């Protein structure tokens, strides 16, 4: 098995754990505060990760360049606003549906990867991605009548538009991060990914701190007081991001993000055990389609 596959699965699990913890934090911190903890508490860990790779493993720290900084900033900003949209989405719908809407990302990531990076996809891979997205759409209509009109209504709803926008911006972020890591040109994909992660989380932390200082300083105090639960979000976030960045340095974005749809399996488990949400037959069918799409992608 190629290394990017287990790394991506680990990233999906950690991302789902982080999102579940953020959903719980939103009630006490608000949307922006619950989004910030992902970056603010993750930054020191990202720097520590680079330090271990350099000091213990012996990897050289790559030299930064303007191309890297440009893509890292674009990716960092996109991830901030995509995260804010996703956390807000959890207040409009349950955890499973909110996450499912954002999983339109693989097709959007494939499009952005094609337009910005010139990445090619085989016909089999495109079909597998489409199967997975059909599963996502089936989940989104799980509690509505199955009809073209219902599908259009579901896709045009405020919840769907926010979810799809979140997925699209996450797609831009994924492509930007891969571009940033590749711009470092060595010494190896793991160190390139770690350096990108540390730089981006540092930029995101500074950006959001300035934003909160200018608009609501009390939010910073609430984030600091919740350090026990917030640090878990930061830990899950930085470990997940390290896995994502490493996988995307090894493999094109569309393939990594498509395999990452396995997160929905973890999402349904979290919905069932953590939030006591129950699934109907259509939701389960959508989940199976997504898993089928993932397997088809790997075969392709």
């Amino acid at each position: 098995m190629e290394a990017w596959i287990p790394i991506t699965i680990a990233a999906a699990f950690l991302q789902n754990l982080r999102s579940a913890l953020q959903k719980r934090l939103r009630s006490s911190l608000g949307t922006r505060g619950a989004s910030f903890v992902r970056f603010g508490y993750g930054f020191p860990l990202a720097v520590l990760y680079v330090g271990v790779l350099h000091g213990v493993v012996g990897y050289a720290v790559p030299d930064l360049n303007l191309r890297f900084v440009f893509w890292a900033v674009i990716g960092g900003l996109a991830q901030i606003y995509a995260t804010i949209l996703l956390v807000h989405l959890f207040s409009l719908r349950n955890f499973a549906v909110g996450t499912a809407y954002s999983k339109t990302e693989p097709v959007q990531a494939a499009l952005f990867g094609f337009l910005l990076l010139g990445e090619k996809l085989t016909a089999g891979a495109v079909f597998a991605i489409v199967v997975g997205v059909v599963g996502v759409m089936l989940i989104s209509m799980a509690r509505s009548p199955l009809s073209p009109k219902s599908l259009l209504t579901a896709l045009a709803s405020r919840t769907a538009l926010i979810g799809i926008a979140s997925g699209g911006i996450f797609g831009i972020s994924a492509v930007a991060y891969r571009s940033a890591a590749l711009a470092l040109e060595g010494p190896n994909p793991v160190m390139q990914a770690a350096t990108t992660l540390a730089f981006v989380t540092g930029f995101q932390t500074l950006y959001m701190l300035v934003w909160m200082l200018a608009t609501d300083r009390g939010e910073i105090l609430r984030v600091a007081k919740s350090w026990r639960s917030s640090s878990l979000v930061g830990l899950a976030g930085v470990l997940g991001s390290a896995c994502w960045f490493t996988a995307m340095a090894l493999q094109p974005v569309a393939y990594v993000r498509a395999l990452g749809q396995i997160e929905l399996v973890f999402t349904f488990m979290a919905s069932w055990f953590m939030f006591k949400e129950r699934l109907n037959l259509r939701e389960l069918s959508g989940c199976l389609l997504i898993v089928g799409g993932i397997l088809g992608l790997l075969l392709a």
Side-chain angles (χ1 to χ4, degrees), residues 74-265:
I74 294 296
L77 289 173
Q79 189 178 40
I80 286 173
Y81 289 103
T83 300
I84 288 173
L85 287 173
L86 182 60
V87 173
H88 177 60
L89 190 60
F90 293 149
S91 68
L92 302 177
R93 293 292 296 271
N94 63 44
F95 182 65
V97 172
T99 304
Y101 273 123
S102 69
K103 293 296 104 181
T104 55
E105 178 189 350
V107 167
Q108 299 184 69
L111 178 61
F112 294 135
F114 174 75
L115 293 176
L116 299 179
L117 303 180
E119 294 178 345
K120 305 298 182 183
L121 298 173
T122 66
V126 171
F127 178 75
I129 291 172
V130 170
V131 169
V133 172
V134 168
V136 171
M137 294 298 100
L138 187 59
I139 291 169
S140 73
M141 295 178 61
R143 305 188 187 280
S144 304
L146 272 179
S147 68
K149 183 178 179 180
S150 296
L151 176 59
L152 291 175
T153 301
L155 292 177
S157 68
R158 181 188 177 199
T159 303
L161 293 176
I162 291 174
I164 292 170
S166 175
I169 300 172
F170 271 128
I172 294 173
S173 174
V175 172
Y177 286 155
R178 174 168 166 79
S179 299
L182 293 177
L184 292 176
E185 299 178 349
N188 58 65
V190 174
M191 193 56 168
Q192 288 170 249
T195 303
T196 304
L197 175 62
F199 181 91
V200 168
T201 52
F203 164 74
Q204 291 168 323
T205 300
L206 179 62
Y207 180 89
M208 292 201 74
L209 277 175
V210 172
W211 185 8
M212 290 189 291
L213 279 171
T215 57
D216 185 1
R217 296 187 180 185
E219 198 164 26
I220 298 177
L221 183 60
R222 291 192 295 273
V223 167
K225 286 181 176 179
S226 69
W227 67 270
R228 288 183 179 84
S229 52
S230 296
S231 59
L232 293 177
V233 175
L235 178 61
V238 77
L239 290 177
S241 293
C243 290
W244 283 127
F245 284 27
T246 302
M248 288 186 290
L250 296 171
Q251 193 73 8
V253 171
Y255 291 99
V256 173
R257 286 310 199 188
L259 176 57
Q261 285 208 75
I262 198 172
E263 180 192 350
L264 278 176
V265 176

Side-chain angles (χ1 to χ4, degrees), residues 19-91:
S19 295
L21 294 171
Q22 282 180 303
K23 175 179 171 66
R24 286 190 164 178
L25 278 176
R26 188 192 176 280
S27 60
S28 58
L29 297 183
T31 299
R32 187 169 49 186
S35 301
F36 169 77
V37 296
R38 170 183 183 176
F39 313 118
Y41 284 93
F43 173 56
L45 297 172
V47 174
L48 178 63
Y49 180 42
V50 172
V52 170
L53 289 177
H54 177 63
V56 178
V57 182
Y59 292 160
V61 178
D63 295 326
L64 308 187
N65 55 68
L66 288 178
R67 182 164 169 254
F68 165 81
V69 172
F70 171 79
W71 284 115
V73 169
I74 294 296
L77 289 173
Q79 189 178 40
I80 286 173
Y81 289 103
T83 300
I84 288 173
L85 287 173
L86 182 60
V87 173
H88 177 60
L89 190 60
F90 293 149
S91 68

